């Protein structure tokens, strides 16, 4: 009998070591990790710069709480907002927590309560984030949720416009729905949202927990759209494997999050911040982002050639193969063949290699995929 709650459908593989894109299990078998721990390991496993950052910080200071000032958090927030219209940051420990902060800030700032979210979205498992999530399987069984979320089909301009009234505090979306099937916001929908948020007192919250930090080939995925978030949430790739989340916002929101309004004991812990700063110093350079785009183009091209019957979706190194049937058996076969994958919804194979993946590793992954899917 397990000593754990069985809330995860775990695969029977025990990974014990990793380097770059390769992970090794307790039998010595190597795998290509095209999950990156679900879009987390932006620099791959055991990147030397991250190992060094955590070693050095662990000998200096592990934790202080937010009772004291933190030039390190200041620097990380400044690095995250640099070159954007955003101006402030708040640190927490996960994506769900970043979204909770966003929901609280939007409600406090506007004095309104309704937040519009979209079907197939995923915003996390806490009560606010779960209420925001447009997937019944995530919400089922937990009784009444927050009744201030209105969830409508993604990319449906008419239904969105029909919901807009003076009670709406914010619109909250993912630029590419990661868990829900690698679904991109359409240019028309982005235009419509931007027009609504420009003309009304309605905030735009963009959840970039999965798409942020270079994953889609730009620092943030919203940069590839007409959208300009008032609030942006981050987690997964930000810590490169160390738990950290962040909420960024415009300077107009500054006064709504004053002392005592929100907080986190661990948020912005020195170890987490040292690692995240190292991730950002590596990822937020034009050479690195150009390389991500080149790898993306290469990967897309190889997939389209090898799998001409399949639709390939996504951006950067958040790609999906749309399959006509359930993908779980393919993912199990890939694992047997030494390639770790994760699904996005029932019928999309999600491809999330570390941003440091090599073209040889992409070739190997495509070989495995074509042997399974054709
Ligand atoms: C994973 C994810 C979350 C939740 O993040 P946790 O760290 O698991 O709480 C929220 N939003 C999006 C878009 C995600 O992909």
């Amino acid at each position: 009998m397990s000593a754990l709650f069985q809330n995860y459908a775990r695969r029977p593989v025990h990974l014990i070591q990793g380097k770059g894109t390769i992970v090794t299990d307790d039998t010595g078998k190597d795998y290509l990790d095209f999950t990156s721990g679900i879009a987390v390991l932006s620099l791959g496993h055991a990147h030397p710069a991250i190992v060094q950052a955590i070693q050095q910080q662990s000998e200096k200071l592990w934790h202080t709480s937010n009772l004291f000032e933190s030039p390190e958090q200041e620097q990380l927030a400044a690095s995250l907002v640099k070159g954007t219209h955003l101006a402030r940051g708040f640190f927490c420990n996960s994506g769900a927590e970043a979204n909770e902060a966003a929901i609280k800030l939007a409600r406090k700032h506007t004095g309104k309560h309704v937040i519009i979210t979209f079907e197939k979205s995923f915003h996390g498992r806490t009560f606010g984030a779960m209420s925001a999530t447009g997937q019944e399987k995530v919400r089922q069984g937990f009784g009444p949720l927050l009744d201030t979320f209105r969830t409508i089909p993604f990319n449906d301009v008419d239904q969105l416009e029909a919901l807009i009234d003076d009670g709406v505090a914010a619109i909250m979306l993912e630029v590419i729905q990661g868990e829900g099937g690698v679904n991109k916001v359409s240019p028309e929908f982005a235009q419509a949202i931007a027009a609504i948020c420009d003309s009304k007192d309605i905030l735009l919250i963009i959840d970039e927990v999965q798409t942020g930090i270079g994953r889609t080939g730009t620092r943030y995925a919203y940069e590839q759209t007409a959208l300009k978030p008032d609030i942006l949430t981050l987690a997964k790739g930000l810590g490169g494997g160390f738990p950290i989340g962040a909420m960024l916002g415009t300077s107009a929101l500054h006064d709504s999050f004053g002392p005592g309004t929100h907080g986190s004991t661990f948020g912005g812990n020195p170890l987490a911040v040292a690692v995240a700063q190292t991730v950002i110093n590596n990822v937020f350079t034009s050479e690195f982002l150009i390389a991500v785009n080149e790898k993306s183009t290469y990967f897309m091209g190889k997939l389209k050639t090898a799998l001409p019957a399949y639709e390939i979706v996504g951006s950067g190194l958040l790609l999906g193969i749309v399959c006509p049937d359930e993908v779980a058996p393919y993912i199990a076969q890939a694992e047997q063949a030494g390639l770790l994958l994760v699904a996005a919804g029932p019928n999309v194979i999600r491809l999330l290699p570390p941003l440091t993946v090599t073209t040889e590793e992409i070739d190997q992954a495509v070989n495995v995929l074509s042997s399974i899917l054709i």
Side-chain angles (χ1 to χ4, degrees), residues 94-96 99 122-124 174 179 207 209-210 236:
S94 70
N99 286 330
F122 184 76
H123 298 296
E174 297 155 89
E179 302 301 313
D207 177 347
V209 168
Q210 186 153 164
K236 296 200 165 98

mmCIF file of all heavy atoms in Angstrom, residues 94-96 99 122-124 174 179 207 209-210 236, ligand 1:
data_model
loop_
_atom_site.group_PDB
_atom_site.id
_atom_site.type_symbol
_atom_site.label_atom_id
_atom_site.label_comp_id
_atom_site.label_asym_id
_atom_site.label_seq_id
_atom_site.Cartn_x
_atom_site.Cartn_y
_atom_site.Cartn_z
ATOM 1 N N SER A 94 4.648 29.156 -7.226
ATOM 2 C CA SER A 94 4.059 28.265 -8.235
ATOM 3 C C SER A 94 3.179 29.070 -9.175
ATOM 4 O O SER A 94 2.873 30.244 -8.922
ATOM 5 C CB SER A 94 3.203 27.194 -7.560
ATOM 6 O OG SER A 94 2.042 27.787 -7.012
ATOM 7 N N GLY A 95 2.717 28.393 -10.229
ATOM 8 C CA GLY A 95 1.832 29.031 -11.191
ATOM 9 C C GLY A 95 0.476 29.364 -10.596
ATOM 10 O O GLY A 95 -0.071 30.448 -10.814
ATOM 11 N N ALA A 96 -0.078 28.411 -9.838
ATOM 12 C CA ALA A 96 -1.388 28.664 -9.225
ATOM 13 C C ALA A 96 -1.303 29.882 -8.303
ATOM 14 O O ALA A 96 -2.206 30.731 -8.299
ATOM 15 C CB ALA A 96 -1.846 27.432 -8.448
ATOM 16 N N ASN A 99 -1.285 33.068 -10.206
ATOM 17 C CA ASN A 99 -2.627 33.411 -10.685
ATOM 18 C C ASN A 99 -3.525 33.891 -9.556
ATOM 19 O O ASN A 99 -4.369 34.773 -9.759
ATOM 20 C CB ASN A 99 -3.236 32.221 -11.426
ATOM 21 C CG ASN A 99 -2.610 32.038 -12.796
ATOM 22 O OD1 ASN A 99 -2.181 33.017 -13.413
ATOM 23 N ND2 ASN A 99 -2.543 30.817 -13.272
ATOM 24 N N PHE A 122 -6.136 26.346 -18.538
ATOM 25 C CA PHE A 122 -5.667 25.770 -17.277
ATOM 26 C C PHE A 122 -4.926 26.857 -16.512
ATOM 27 O O PHE A 122 -3.977 27.446 -17.016
ATOM 28 C CB PHE A 122 -4.736 24.566 -17.503
ATOM 29 C CG PHE A 122 -4.331 23.928 -16.207
ATOM 30 C CD1 PHE A 122 -5.222 23.112 -15.511
ATOM 31 C CD2 PHE A 122 -3.088 24.182 -15.647
ATOM 32 C CE1 PHE A 122 -4.865 22.555 -14.285
ATOM 33 C CE2 PHE A 122 -2.726 23.620 -14.420
ATOM 34 C CZ PHE A 122 -3.614 22.805 -13.742
ATOM 35 N N HIS A 123 -5.384 27.107 -15.272
ATOM 36 C CA HIS A 123 -4.749 28.155 -14.476
ATOM 37 C C HIS A 123 -4.253 27.664 -13.117
ATOM 38 O O HIS A 123 -3.706 28.461 -12.355
ATOM 39 C CB HIS A 123 -5.720 29.325 -14.304
ATOM 40 C CG HIS A 123 -6.105 29.964 -15.607
ATOM 41 N ND1 HIS A 123 -5.180 30.602 -16.418
ATOM 42 C CD2 HIS A 123 -7.282 30.035 -16.270
ATOM 43 C CE1 HIS A 123 -5.800 31.049 -17.516
ATOM 44 N NE2 HIS A 123 -7.071 30.714 -17.453
ATOM 45 N N GLY A 124 -4.453 26.372 -12.803
ATOM 46 C CA GLY A 124 -3.934 25.841 -11.552
ATOM 47 C C GLY A 124 -5.017 25.199 -10.710
ATOM 48 O O GLY A 124 -6.189 25.176 -11.086
ATOM 49 N N GLU A 174 -4.542 32.336 -21.595
ATOM 50 C CA GLU A 174 -3.225 31.880 -22.040
ATOM 51 C C GLU A 174 -3.111 32.238 -23.521
ATOM 52 O O GLU A 174 -4.061 32.004 -24.282
ATOM 53 C CB GLU A 174 -3.105 30.363 -21.905
ATOM 54 C CG GLU A 174 -3.201 29.819 -20.504
ATOM 55 C CD GLU A 174 -3.686 28.369 -20.532
ATOM 56 O OE1 GLU A 174 -2.851 27.461 -20.626
ATOM 57 O OE2 GLU A 174 -4.906 28.148 -20.477
ATOM 58 N N GLU A 179 -2.045 23.119 -21.441
ATOM 59 C CA GLU A 179 -2.644 21.848 -21.003
ATOM 60 C C GLU A 179 -3.823 21.483 -21.896
ATOM 61 O O GLU A 179 -4.116 20.314 -22.080
ATOM 62 C CB GLU A 179 -3.131 21.957 -19.550
ATOM 63 C CG GLU A 179 -2.049 22.341 -18.547
ATOM 64 C CD GLU A 179 -0.895 21.359 -18.523
ATOM 65 O OE1 GLU A 179 -1.145 20.146 -18.475
ATOM 66 O OE2 GLU A 179 0.259 21.822 -18.574
ATOM 67 N N ASP A 207 -1.782 34.590 -18.542
ATOM 68 C CA ASP A 207 -1.143 33.506 -17.808
ATOM 69 C C ASP A 207 -0.052 32.924 -18.707
ATOM 70 O O ASP A 207 -0.342 32.189 -19.653
ATOM 71 C CB ASP A 207 -2.207 32.461 -17.448
ATOM 72 C CG ASP A 207 -1.628 31.235 -16.747
ATOM 73 O OD1 ASP A 207 -0.392 31.070 -16.749
ATOM 74 O OD2 ASP A 207 -2.424 30.439 -16.218
ATOM 75 N N VAL A 209 2.438 31.105 -17.410
ATOM 76 C CA VAL A 209 3.115 30.120 -16.558
ATOM 77 C C VAL A 209 3.833 29.080 -17.427
ATOM 78 O O VAL A 209 4.942 28.656 -17.111
ATOM 79 C CB VAL A 209 2.096 29.465 -15.599
ATOM 80 C CG1 VAL A 209 2.687 28.237 -14.914
ATOM 81 C CG2 VAL A 209 1.618 30.480 -14.562
ATOM 82 N N GLN A 210 3.193 28.708 -18.540
ATOM 83 C CA GLN A 210 3.809 27.711 -19.433
ATOM 84 C C GLN A 210 4.530 28.353 -20.619
ATOM 85 O O GLN A 210 5.573 27.881 -21.052
ATOM 86 C CB GLN A 210 2.738 26.744 -19.947
ATOM 87 C CG GLN A 210 3.299 25.611 -20.763
ATOM 88 C CD GLN A 210 2.461 24.341 -20.734
ATOM 89 O OE1 GLN A 210 2.643 23.473 -21.561
ATOM 90 N NE2 GLN A 210 1.580 24.192 -19.789
ATOM 91 N N LYS A 236 6.667 27.874 -13.952
ATOM 92 C CA LYS A 236 7.382 26.791 -14.635
ATOM 93 C C LYS A 236 8.828 27.111 -15.076
ATOM 94 O O LYS A 236 9.757 26.853 -14.336
ATOM 95 C CB LYS A 236 6.550 26.305 -15.825
ATOM 96 C CG LYS A 236 5.214 25.684 -15.383
ATOM 97 C CD LYS A 236 4.606 24.793 -16.434
ATOM 98 C CE LYS A 236 3.511 23.920 -15.844
ATOM 99 N NZ LYS A 236 2.153 24.395 -16.032
HETATM 100 C C1 LIG B 1 1.081 24.609 -15.039
HETATM 101 C C2 LIG B 1 0.220 25.781 -15.227
HETATM 102 C C3 LIG B 1 -0.365 26.454 -14.135
HETATM 103 C C4 LIG B 1 -0.248 25.948 -12.718
HETATM 104 O O1 LIG B 1 1.068 25.987 -12.260
HETATM 105 P P1 LIG B 1 1.453 25.214 -10.897
HETATM 106 O O2 LIG B 1 2.869 25.620 -10.669
HETATM 107 O O3 LIG B 1 1.279 23.742 -11.157
HETATM 108 O O4 LIG B 1 0.532 25.700 -9.845
HETATM 109 C C5 LIG B 1 -1.088 27.591 -14.381
HETATM 110 N N1 LIG B 1 -1.251 28.063 -15.631
HETATM 111 C C6 LIG B 1 -0.699 27.456 -16.707
HETATM 112 C C7 LIG B 1 -0.883 28.048 -18.055
HETATM 113 C C8 LIG B 1 0.037 26.287 -16.547
HETATM 114 O O5 LIG B 1 0.551 25.664 -17.617
#
